[in-house]
């Protein structure tokens, strides 16, 4: 390893250390030499330090600010991270059923290296001028949130020490994710930052890159992570809904106001489109509540209807007059009559079939039960 470090590049030393880790894990598996695990853990700490801190993230970006060019090729960066990741993953596979603590260290290092590599790749693919833009920060947040949720998912397996270590690693990932989310929502938010213009065609634009992956990763967490309790899963659902709502609302504003969302005020078509989206969402939730026989979803849907009605009366109708206002009231009234009829039919259907649980609390709960 020392010879490789002296003759070749910085990346070669990291990969050479990973080769030694794999060889040591294979030697320990063959001859059962427990003291070798201490070397593995120390070597993994050094490898992680080199790929994350020094030369680490800044070296992997490879950007010369004075000349404004990349001085480190992406192939060398990919070799350093992916080759090391493959070697450590192989060492983890050899240790997973014999050296639990060593396997946990290797596993955590693999996820960390993967996250840093994905972040580096994202920043190198994106234009330098967009390195802190909303879509880059959204994708960056998705990477680290997914890694944190993966550690949370794996908490359901393992002893007390493994649980504590995974919680610490997941907490570190979560702190990084909170930092990128803060940049996204406070400094790179298209609604407040004038330089954050929307790129791409409507619906398939930079807003989709920024918010849809975040909504998807929280939705998957609410579906798959079943051991954390009802309230945590509800928080995942709320987070997924919040990011999906941000995307839909910003897309509506982009459709009517252009690529600069910081323009003041709201146009009438924009307000009416928000109302239509709220009504469609409420109807969709009501239909889903009927399909799943969920009182919680039905209450949420009816709350959405009430919020839509309040918006219509307090906001939308203030800008209308004459026959247009009359016909708008008639259309709203017919919509509410239809929703009331649907709600009544739903209640009657549930009452005719009392064997199926109407309330979510009536259904049998378990570690694999779904949350509405």
């Amino acid at each position: 390893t020392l010879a490789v470090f002296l003759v070749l590049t910085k990346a070669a030393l990291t990969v050479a250390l990973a080769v030694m880790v794999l060889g040591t894990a294979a030697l320990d598996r063959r001859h059962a030499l427990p003291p070798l695990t201490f070397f593995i853990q120390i070597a993994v700490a050094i490898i992680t330090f080199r790929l994350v801190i020094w030369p680490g993230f800044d070296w992997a970006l490879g950007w010369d600010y004075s000349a404004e060019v990349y001085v480190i090729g992406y192939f060398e960066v990919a070799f350093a991270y992916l080759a090391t990741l493959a070697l450590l993953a192989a060492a983890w596979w050899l240790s997973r059923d014999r050296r639990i603590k060593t396997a946990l260290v290797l596993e955590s290092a693999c996820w960390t290296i993967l996250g840093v590599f994905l972040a580096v790749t994202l920043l190198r693919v994106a234009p330098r001028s967009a390195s802190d833009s909303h879509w880059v920060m959204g994708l960056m947040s998705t990477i680290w949130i997914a890694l944190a949720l993966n550690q949370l998912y794996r908490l359901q397996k393992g002893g007390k020490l493994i649980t504590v270590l995974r919680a610490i690693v997941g907490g570190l990932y979560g702190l990084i994710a909170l930092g990128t989310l803060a940049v996204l929502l406070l400094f790179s938010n298209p609604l407040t930052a004038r330089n954050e213009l929307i790129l791409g065609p409507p619906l398939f634009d930079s807003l989709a890159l920024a918010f849809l992956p975040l909504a998807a990763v929280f939705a998957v967490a609410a579906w798959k992570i079943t051991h954390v309790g009802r309230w945590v899963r509800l928080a995942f659902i709320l987070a997924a809904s919040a990011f999906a709502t941000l995307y839909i609302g910003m897309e509506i504003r982009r459709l009517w106001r252009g690529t600069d969302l910081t323009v003041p005020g709201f146009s009438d078509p924009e307000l009416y489109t928000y109302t239509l989206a709220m009504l469609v969402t409420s109807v969709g939730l009501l239909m889903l509540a009927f399909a799943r026989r969920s009182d919680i979803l039905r209450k949420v849907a009816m709350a959405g209807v009430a919020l839509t009605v309040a918006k219509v009366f307090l906001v939308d109708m203030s800008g209308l007059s004459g026959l247009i206002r009359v016909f708008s009231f008639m259309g709203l009234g017919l919509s509410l009559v239809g929703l009331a009829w649907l709600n009544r039919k739903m209640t009657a259907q549930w009452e005719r079939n009392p064997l199926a649980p109407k309330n979510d609390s009536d259904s049998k709960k378990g570690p694999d039960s779904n949350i509405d």
Side-chain angles (χ1 to χ4, degrees), residues 232-254:
V232 176
R233 298 181 67 199
L234 182 60
F236 291 155
I237 293 175
L238 292 176
S241 302
F243 286 115
T245 301
L246 273 175
Y247 166 72
I248 295 172
M250 290 185 184
E251 282 291 350
I252 292 174
R253 186 164 178 80
R254 182 257 166 92

Side-chain angles (χ1 to χ4, degrees), residues 73-356:
Y74 181 75
F75 176 79
E76 182 178 353
V77 173
F79 169 72
Y81 281 87
L82 294 182
T84 302
L85 182 62
L87 292 166
L88 293 186
W92 167 82
W93 187 82
L94 291 175
S95 306
R96 71 192 190 286
D97 55 350
R98 299 183 55 146
R99 308 296 185 197
I100 303 301
K101 296 179 182 179
T102 302
L104 179 61
V105 171
L106 288 164
E107 176 194 330
S108 301
C110 287
W111 287 115
T112 302
I113 292 169
L114 177 62
V116 174
F117 174 69
L118 292 176
V120 167
T121 300
L122 174 62
L123 291 177
R124 292 191 66 137
V125 169
R128 293 296 302 178
S129 58
S131 59
D132 60 347
S133 62
H134 60 279
W135 63 274
V136 171
M137 288 296 103
L139 291 174
M140 191 78 71
S141 300
T142 302
I143 293 171
W144 293 107
I145 288 173
L147 291 175
L149 292 175
N150 173 68
Q151 294 297 319
L152 183 61
Y153 175 75
R154 298 178 70 84
L155 282 178
Q156 58 188 320
K157 298 179 181 179
K160 183 177 181 180
L161 177 62
I162 294 177
T163 299
V164 171
L165 290 177
R166 281 181 176 157
I168 293 173
V169 173
L172 292 176
Y173 294 158
L175 289 176
I176 299 174
L178 284 177
T180 55
L181 278 177
V183 175
L184 170 63
L185 299 177
L186 299 179
F187 304 105
S188 300
N189 192 332
L191 293 175
T192 57
R194 298 188 63 87
N195 60 331
E196 291 294 328
L197 301 179
I198 310 304
L199 306 175
L203 300 182
F204 303 99
D205 50 19
S206 56
L207 291 175
L209 290 177
F211 296 105
L212 285 186
L214 285 170
V217 75
F218 279 114
V220 171
W223 173 39
K224 285 292 187 180
I225 302 178
T226 59
H227 64 283
V228 293
R230 181 183 185 87
W231 292 108
V232 176
R233 298 181 67 199
L234 182 60
F236 291 155
I237 293 175
L238 292 176
S241 302
F243 286 115
T245 301
L246 273 175
Y247 166 72
I248 295 172
M250 290 185 184
E251 282 291 350
I252 292 174
R253 186 164 178 80
R254 182 257 166 92
L255 181 65
W256 293 109
R257 307 308 298 272
T259 59
D260 183 5
L261 304 187
T262 63
V263 292
F266 299 90
S267 64
D268 288 340
E270 181 184 354
L271 290 174
Y272 305 150
T273 307
Y274 289 140
T275 302
L276 179 62
M278 293 169 64
L279 190 61
V280 169
T281 302
S282 299
V283 172
L285 287 175
L286 199 58
M287 298 301 294
L288 182 61
F290 179 76
R292 301 190 62 176
R293 304 180 64 86
S294 170
D295 267 343
I296 292 179
L297 278 179
R298 183 168 69 164
K299 292 175 182 178
V300 172
M302 298 312 295
V305 171
L307 186 62
T308 304
V309 172
K311 179 180 179 299
V312 169
F313 277 98
L314 298 176
V315 180
D316 296 350
M317 294 302 178
S318 61
L320 301 178
S321 60
L323 291 177
I324 296 179
R325 188 168 189 173
V326 173
F327 284 119
S328 298
F329 272 109
M330 290 177 59
L332 176 63
L334 290 174
S335 301
L336 294 178
V337 168
L339 287 174
W341 174 82
L342 183 62
N343 186 55
R344 187 169 60 252
K345 284 290 185 182
M346 185 184 303
T347 302
Q349 176 68 22
W350 287 353
E351 291 176 349
R352 284 197 299 268
N353 187 13
L355 296 179

